[in-house]
């Protein structure tokens, strides 16, 4: 644990010597595999582990990289690297330098080809600045207002004193434009840096200059944005010799190096850069000057594993190796997922379709898949992976049979609850304290309306009877809401069908073919299906809107008899109540002795006036209407489901794109639908290239995983919490502490 007063860091015990042999062949192989994947462009498809070096301009970042690699980085004041530089260091008997440029993906093929032809005028380690200048000229930095570039300079350095290490050096962050840097460049560099460090598989090496308050250095805010808890960041303090001995700033930066001010899981490291007057020092002289300084004053209190370039090299090498091992399972999973998605996209595109036969064959295979999936969806067979999870909206919408069944059940309930123009409430069920809801009417009031209508529609019926047509008139009035309810159901069913078949089309066809099929087959076919569905529904509605009611359902007679009996009992009850007057018992369960003449009671029960006969006829007509309404409603629901939805919607949908349809398509239509355009050919080529790269990468990652004998949990620097759930560009980190 680092000495010093105050709070001890939670991570202070994580900066010990690595447990693995740093320069072993296994170590080299691990880094080589990742570097090879990166050089082959696999990072376009999956995020690879990397160690990213970032810092503000003039923070001493270039001097740090020079000390690590032995390359003479450009170190002019106020001038930063104009593009990302990938630095690959490997131990080997012979010293060798190789330089290449990986062009930005947004460049044209011609530009990519030109940039990939780059050859530096020198491969001398001491002339690295010349290599950088050559790359700037080749890329075009400084021409046409292009100050920075997204191209990547890749430098591979091998030698007997090199560590096994790979770094990505990024342009320095700066606050304001000057004569050599524009305001647009500020945003470009920030965007470039964020694009690297927001990758959760990036270990961030944040270079902090002791010449400036940490709160004023952009790099600290950037690292906190993407790594708010400091799980994958290591800090490097440079230029500690510029601090006045014994000053508050020196004490603050010492606490920073002890991981007390801004805590990083990977801790901090202190380096002394060459002064201006030491610019001609060799690397050995630089090392000796640094060692002398860090062995004196307050810096001597820090562990030797946390100071000096000699301990930084193996420390970074071990961190990167252990980080890669920790990320291997996730890398393999992500690569496999990307490979699966690529295969699905290729299946959707199909094979190359240059000839008419190829095009028709592609449509035939697609129609077979479509017909099969639609058949599964309409028959309620959901074993295919396409249907996904029923508990998710997307999975449920693809289960067309389930959606339709539920839609028709809701339709039946809605028709039962809202299908009547007027809901008739028996007077005996009325609650004096409650008002009627909209659309409700008491039976007595409804009988008044019916009685008035019967008088206005009289035919040759005898007194005390009713015109049979009155039942139809009353029913047609009551069933008026049916049309709007069923049409609303049709609209929703058509949307349900669209939500079900569009994913099927998108799953098996490419975008260009989808447009052609929608134009020539699906849209015309769905229009015909919709027209047939609406015609059939109107046909089913017609008997409910006009004509004479006809039914042979015994439920009708049973219902009429039941209603007749209920109303007869109600009439008898009223007459008995009138006969006994105030002596009538309040409770129907009460027992009481009455004295009355039987003849008088019989006379009271048998008394019937002309008005009573008219009332009876009116009541009979209403009972017949209500009984017929129930029979007709249930029949209409079944007929709509069977004759309209099943026969006119679902069955035609299953054959809308069957192979027989493809067989009958004219050659010109087949070509218009299935012929490949240039974008499809390019997309297939891109996907085939991507699949090849992913397959090769997956083999290498599996081989690396099988040969990995050092578990990531043994790492002294990284633990299982590395992939922190809060890491992300939108994460809000704790405020950076000022060292003033």
């Amino acid at each position: 644990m680092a000495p010093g007063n105050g709070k001890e860091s939670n991570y202070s015990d994580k900066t010990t010597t690595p447990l693995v042999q740093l320069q072993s062949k296994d170590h080299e192989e691990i880094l080589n595999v990742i570097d090879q994947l990166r050089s082959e462009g696999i990072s376009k498809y999956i995020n690879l582990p990397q160690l990213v070096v970032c810092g503000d301009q003039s923070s001493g970042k270039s001097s740090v990289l020079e000390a690590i690699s032995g390359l003479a980085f450009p170190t002019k004041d106020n001038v930063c690297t104009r593009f990302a530089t990938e630095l690959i260091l490997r131990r080997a008997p012979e010293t060798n330098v190789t330089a290449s440029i990986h062009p930005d993906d947004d460049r044209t093929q011609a530009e990519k080809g030109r940039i990939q032809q780059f050859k530096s005028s020198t491969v001398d380690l001491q002339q690295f600045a010349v290599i950088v200048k050559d790359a700037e000229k080749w890329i075009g930095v400084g021409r046409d207002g292009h100050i920075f570039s997204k191209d990547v300079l890749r430098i591979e350095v091998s030698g007997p004193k090199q560590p096994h290490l790979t770094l990505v050096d990024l342009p320095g962050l700066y606050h304001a434009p000057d004569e050599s840097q524009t305001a647009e460049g500020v945003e470009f560099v920030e965007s470039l840096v964020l694009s690297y460090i927001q990758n959760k598989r990036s270990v961030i090496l944040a270079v902090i200059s002791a010449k400036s308050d940490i709160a004023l250095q952009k790099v600290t805010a950037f690292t906190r944005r993407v790594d708010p808890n400091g799980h994958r960041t290591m800090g490097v303090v440079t230029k500690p010799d510029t601090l006045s001995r014994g000053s508050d700033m020196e004490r603050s930066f010492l606490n920073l190096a002890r991981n007390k001010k801004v805590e990083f899981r990977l801790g901090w490291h202190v380096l002394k850069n060459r002064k201006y007057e030491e610019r001609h020092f060799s690397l050995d002289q630089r090392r000796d000057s640094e060692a002398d300084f860090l062995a004196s004053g307050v810096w001597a209190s820090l562990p030797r594993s946390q100071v000096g370039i000699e301990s930084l090299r193996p420390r970074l090498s071990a961190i990167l190796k252990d980080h890669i091992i920790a990320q291997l399972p996730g890398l393999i999973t992500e690569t496999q997922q990307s490979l699966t998605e690529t295969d699905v996209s290729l299946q959707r595109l199909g094979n190359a379709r240059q000839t008419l036969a190829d095009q028709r064959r592609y449509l035939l295979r697609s129609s077979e898949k479509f017909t099969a999936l639609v058949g599964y969806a309409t028959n309620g067979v959901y074993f295919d992976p396409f249907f996904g999870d029923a508990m998710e909206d997307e999975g449920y919408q693809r289960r067309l049979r389930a959606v339709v069944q539920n839609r028709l059940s809701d339709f039946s309930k809605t028709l039962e609850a809202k299908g009547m123009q007027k809901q008739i409430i028996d007077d005996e069920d009325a609650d004096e304290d409650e008002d009627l809801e909209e659309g409700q009417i008491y039976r007595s009031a409804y009988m008044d309306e019916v009685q008035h209508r019967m008088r206005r529609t009289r035919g040759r019926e005898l007194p005390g009877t009713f015109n049979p047509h009155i039942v139809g008139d009353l029913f047609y009035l009551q069933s008026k809401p049916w049309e709007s309810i069923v049409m609303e159901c049709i609209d929703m069913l058509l949307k349900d069908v669209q939500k079900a078949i569009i994913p099927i089309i998108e799953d098996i066809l490419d975008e260009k073919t989808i447009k052609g099929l929608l134009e020539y087959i699906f849209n015309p076919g769905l229009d015909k299906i919709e027209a047939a569905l609406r015609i059939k529904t109107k046909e089913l509605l017609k008997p409910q809107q006009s004509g004479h009611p006809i039914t042979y359902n015994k439920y009708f007679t049973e219902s009429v008899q039941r209603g007749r009996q209920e109303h007869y009992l109600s009439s008898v009850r009223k007459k008995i109540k009138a006969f006994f007057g105030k002596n009538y018992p309040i409770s129907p369960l009460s027992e009481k002795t009455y004295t009355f003449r039987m003849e008088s009671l019989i006379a009271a029960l048998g008394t019937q006036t002309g008005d009573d006969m008219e009332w009876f006829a009116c009541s009979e007509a209403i009972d017949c209407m209500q009984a017929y309404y129930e029979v007709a409603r249930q029949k209409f629901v079944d007929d709509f489901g069977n004759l309209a939805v099943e026969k006119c919607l679902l069955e035609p949908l299953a054959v809308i794109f069957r192979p027989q349809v493809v067989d009958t398509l004219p050659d010109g239509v087949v070509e218009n639908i299935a012929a490949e355009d240039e974008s499809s050919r390019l997309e297939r080529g891109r996907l085939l290239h991507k699949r090849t790269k992913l397959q090769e990468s997956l083999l290498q990652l599996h081989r690396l995983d099988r040969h990995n004998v050092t578990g990531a949990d043994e790492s002294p620097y990284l633990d299982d919490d590395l992939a922190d759930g809060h890491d992300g560009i939108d994460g809000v980190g704790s405020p950076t502490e000022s060292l003033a």
Side-chain angles (χ1 to χ4, degrees):
M1 186 172 290
N5 299 324
K7 183 186 72 173
E8 293 298 336
S9 166
N10 294 332
Y11 306 133
S12 59
D13 58 347
K14 289 183 177 284
T15 54
T16 57
T17 304
L19 299 178
V20 297
Q21 181 61 36
L22 296 180
Q23 311 305 336
S24 66
K25 292 299 291 181
D26 286 343
H27 190 165
E28 181 181 8
E29 182 186 2
I30 289 171
L31 299 187
N32 284 345
V33 168
I34 299 301
D35 290 337
Q36 182 181 349
L37 296 180
R38 186 178 289 109
S39 69
E40 293 175 352
I42 199 66
S43 55
K44 290 189 297 184
Y45 312 124
I46 56 174
N47 292 321
L48 294 173
Q50 57 189 351
L51 203 162
V52 178
V53 185
C54 57
D56 289 28
Q57 282 188 17
S58 303
S59 63
K61 182 166 58 71
S62 295
S63 298
V64 171
L65 293 169
E66 179 178 332
I68 292 173
S69 65
L71 297 173
F73 272 71
T75 55
K76 288 185 180 180
D77 290 340
N78 300 322
V79 176
C80 71
T81 311
R82 304 300 186 179
F83 38 73
T85 302
E86 190 177 331
L87 192 59
I88 301 168
L89 310 177
R90 295 293 182 270
R91 178 162 293 188
E94 302 291 332
T95 299
N96 187 43
V97 178
T98 302
S100 61
I101 300 175
H102 282 245
D104 176 29
D105 287 337
D106 292 336
R107 287 188 179 273
T108 64
Q109 289 299 322
E111 289 177 325
K112 289 180 180 179
R114 180 189 66 79
I115 287 177
Q116 287 170 340
Q117 299 300 316
F118 169 74
K119 288 185 180 179
S120 175
S121 60
T122 180
V123 291
D124 186 352
L125 281 174
Q126 301 306 314
Q127 297 295 318
F128 179 64
V130 176
I131 298 176
V132 175
K133 284 295 180 184
D134 288 344
E136 286 183 357
K137 291 179 182 178
W138 197 263
I139 289 172
V141 170
R143 293 200 305 264
D144 302 325
H146 297 146
I147 306 301
F148 296 93
S149 173
K150 290 184 179 180
D151 303 307
V152 180
L153 175 62
R154 181 183 173 91
I155 305 294
E156 300 178 57
V157 182
S158 58
K161 294 185 178 181
Q162 292 293 351
H164 291 316
L165 183 61
T166 301
L167 305 167
V168 179
D169 175 37
L170 300 175
L173 297 159
Y174 63 98
H175 290 267
D178 56 22
E179 64 277 2
S180 62
Q181 299 175 140
T182 64
E184 292 78 9
V186 175
E187 296 180 1
F188 183 94
V189 173
E190 289 181 355
S191 175
L192 183 65
V193 170
L194 284 172
S195 70
Y196 276 87
I197 65 175
Q198 69 185 0
N199 171 11
K200 291 186 180 181
R201 293 200 176 103
S202 291
V203 174
I204 305 167
L205 188 66
V207 180
I208 307 293
S209 172
K211 289 184 69 174
S212 175
D213 192 307
I214 187 174
L216 303 178
Q217 300 186 51
K218 275 189 171 183
V219 67
T220 56
F222 273 53
T223 56
R224 282 307 194 192
R225 283 176 65 183
V226 300
D227 185 25
N229 295 320
H231 287 313
R232 54 186 178 90
T233 304
M234 176 179 173
V236 176
V237 176
T238 62
K239 306 181 182 181
D241 53 315
T242 62
L243 298 169
S244 300
R245 289 183 179 270
S247 65
D248 290 341
M249 285 292 284
E250 184 183 54
R251 186 164 50 256
S252 294
F253 271 97
L254 178 64
N255 286 332
L256 185 71
R258 287 173 174 167
N259 217 9
K260 293 180 179 178
K261 298 289 288 184
V262 178
E263 291 190 5
F264 290 145
R265 183 185 299 276
L266 303 178
W268 288 80
H269 205 93
V270 180
L271 297 177
K272 173 188 172 296
N273 299 64
R274 287 184 296 191
K275 300 178 182 178
Y276 178 77
E277 54 270 21
E278 297 175 344
R279 63 189 181 281
H280 300 302
F281 274 20
S282 67
L283 290 178
D284 288 339
Q285 290 174 313
R286 179 213 172 279
R287 180 195 60 207
D288 294 340
S289 174
E290 178 185 60
D292 291 341
F293 174 80
L294 294 174
S296 63
V298 295
W299 309 106
S301 64
L302 294 174
R304 295 301 90 185
S305 62
Q306 297 178 28
V307 298
I309 195 63
E310 292 301 313
S311 61
L312 180 61
R313 291 193 193 102
R315 187 177 178 186
L316 292 179
S317 186
I319 285 173
L320 182 58
K321 170 189 174 294
D322 294 336
H323 179 59
I324 292 172
I325 292 174
Q327 294 295 314
L328 264 179
L331 266 178
I332 292 172
T333 299
E334 186 178 342
T335 306
Q336 183 62 64
Q337 289 174 346
S338 184
L339 183 58
T340 301
E341 292 169 0
T342 304
D343 285 337
V344 170
S345 298
L346 281 169
Q347 290 174 7
R348 191 180 298 121
L349 278 174
N351 297 326
R353 308 188 293 275
Q354 302 301 321
T355 67
L356 182 63
D358 293 335
Q359 295 158 11
R360 195 177 292 274
R361 191 178 304 113
Y362 170 66
L363 289 181
L364 281 170
R365 283 198 297 266
S366 300
S367 70
E368 290 171 355
K369 294 177 184 176
F370 176 85
T371 303
L373 285 175
V374 171
Y376 297 152
T378 55
N379 291 319
V381 181
Y382 310 125
F383 60 83
D384 194 281
F386 165 80
F387 293 101
D389 185 358
M391 300 311 294
E392 296 179 0
D393 289 343
E394 185 179 85
Y396 171 64
Q397 290 168 359
R398 296 181 178 191
R399 290 163 163 78
L400 186 56
R401 172 54 63 182
V403 173
V404 170
Q405 295 288 91
N406 293 332
R407 186 71 69 195
L408 290 177
S409 295
D410 293 342
F411 164 71
S412 177
K413 293 175 183 177
T414 302
L415 201 66
E416 182 178 4
K418 301 179 180 179
M420 272 194 171
Q421 180 84 349
K422 294 182 179 181
Q423 185 179 358
I424 303 171
I425 307 296
D426 281 336
D427 295 67
E428 294 180 358
D429 298 333
D431 189 337
E432 297 179 358
D433 297 330
E434 291 187 7
D435 295 329
L436 291 177
E437 297 179 4
E438 185 178 357
Q440 291 182 335
I441 187 171
Y442 286 126
R443 182 178 176 92
S444 57
Y446 186 67
M447 286 185 64
D448 290 340
E449 292 182 6
V450 173
Q451 191 173 27
H452 186 61
R453 179 176 291 275
M454 288 174 64
R455 287 175 177 174
R456 286 176 170 260
T457 58
R458 268 188 169 172
R460 293 186 175 184
E461 64 273 13
L462 297 174
T465 63
F466 61 88
N467 189 335
H469 292 289
I470 193 66
V471 176
D473 291 346
L474 295 177
F475 169 71
Y476 302 139
L477 289 172
Q478 283 288 68
S479 63
K480 262 189 176 182
W482 288 16
E483 183 170 6
S484 61
I485 293 173
V486 75
M487 289 304 169
E488 183 180 358
C489 181
I490 288 176
D491 292 339
M492 290 188 290
L493 283 168
L494 292 172
K495 290 179 182 178
D496 293 333
V497 166
Q498 189 175 28
K499 290 178 182 178
I501 67 169
I502 290 299
I504 297 177
I505 297 171
E506 293 176 343
D507 188 64
I508 62 178
L509 296 162
D510 64 90
E511 186 176 351
K512 192 260 181 186
T513 307
I514 290 175
K515 291 180 180 179
L517 284 174
L518 287 174
E519 179 181 354
Y520 288 100
I521 293 179
F522 285 111
N523 286 341
L526 289 173
D527 288 344
K528 290 180 181 179
I529 289 174
E530 180 180 353
L533 176 62
R534 293 189 184 278
I535 289 172
K536 174 56 72 174
T537 302
K538 285 188 175 295
E539 181 183 319
L540 296 174
L541 276 171
K542 191 173 182 181
Q544 326 305 330
Q545 296 172 327
S546 62
H548 188 72
I550 297 176
T551 182
Y552 304 100
N553 192 325
K554 69 174 184 177
Y555 174 83
F556 171 76
T557 54
E558 292 174 354
S559 181
V560 170
Q561 290 172 357
R562 187 167 52 252
R564 188 178 292 162
Q565 184 177 9
E566 289 175 357
H567 296 124
Y568 173 73
L569 292 175
S570 176
S571 173
V572 169
R573 191 178 295 111
K574 288 180 180 178
K575 289 180 180 180
I576 292 176
K577 189 175 183 180
F579 177 78
F580 285 105
K582 62 181 180 179
N583 293 321
Y584 187 81
I586 298 176
S587 172
L589 299 179
S590 61
E591 295 183 1
K592 193 173 182 181
T593 302
Y594 296 94
T595 302
F596 60 90
R597 292 181 63 188
M598 182 62 69
E599 290 298 328
S600 299
L601 176 61
I602 293 173
L605 293 176
T607 302
Q608 208 162 20
T609 64
D611 289 340
D612 290 335
M613 292 296 293
E614 192 173 345
W615 177 91
F616 178 78
C618 182
S619 179
E620 282 277 292
I622 294 174
D623 289 340
C624 289
M625 180 275 294
Q626 286 182 308
Y628 181 78
Y629 180 93
E630 286 302 313
V631 171
R633 179 183 61 79
Q634 294 175 16
K635 184 175 185 302
F636 178 71
V637 169
D638 289 341
D639 286 347
F640 175 68
N642 291 314
L643 302 179
V645 176
E646 293 293 335
K647 297 297 181 181
C648 298
L649 177 63
L650 297 182
E651 288 185 8
L653 183 68
V655 296
I656 192 173
F657 184 43
R658 59 180 174 172
Q660 290 88 333
V661 173
V662 177
D663 280 336
T664 59
L665 288 176
D667 292 347
V669 174
V670 171
E671 188 173 1
N672 287 337
I673 295 174
E676 283 191 314
D677 54 15
E678 185 63 21
S679 62
S680 296
R681 286 191 286 271
L682 291 175
E683 178 66 5
R684 181 183 292 101
R686 185 189 71 81
L687 289 172
L688 287 171
H689 178 267
K690 178 181 178 181
R691 182 172 67 176
T692 300
K693 293 299 181 184
L694 288 171
Q695 288 172 335
E696 294 172 352
S697 302
L698 195 59
L699 287 173
Q700 294 187 63
L701 290 171
H702 276 305
R703 184 169 62 249
L704 194 61
D705 192 44
R706 284 194 300 269
H707 288 85
N708 169 39
V709 295
T710 306
D713 55 346
E714 295 176 343
S715 169
Y717 301 115
L718 303 173
D719 64 19
D720 293 337
D721 293 330
L722 180 63
D724 181 73
H726 298 290
D727 292 357
I729 196 63
D730 295 325
V732 180
S734 56
T736 305
E737 297 188 49
S738 171
L739 296 179

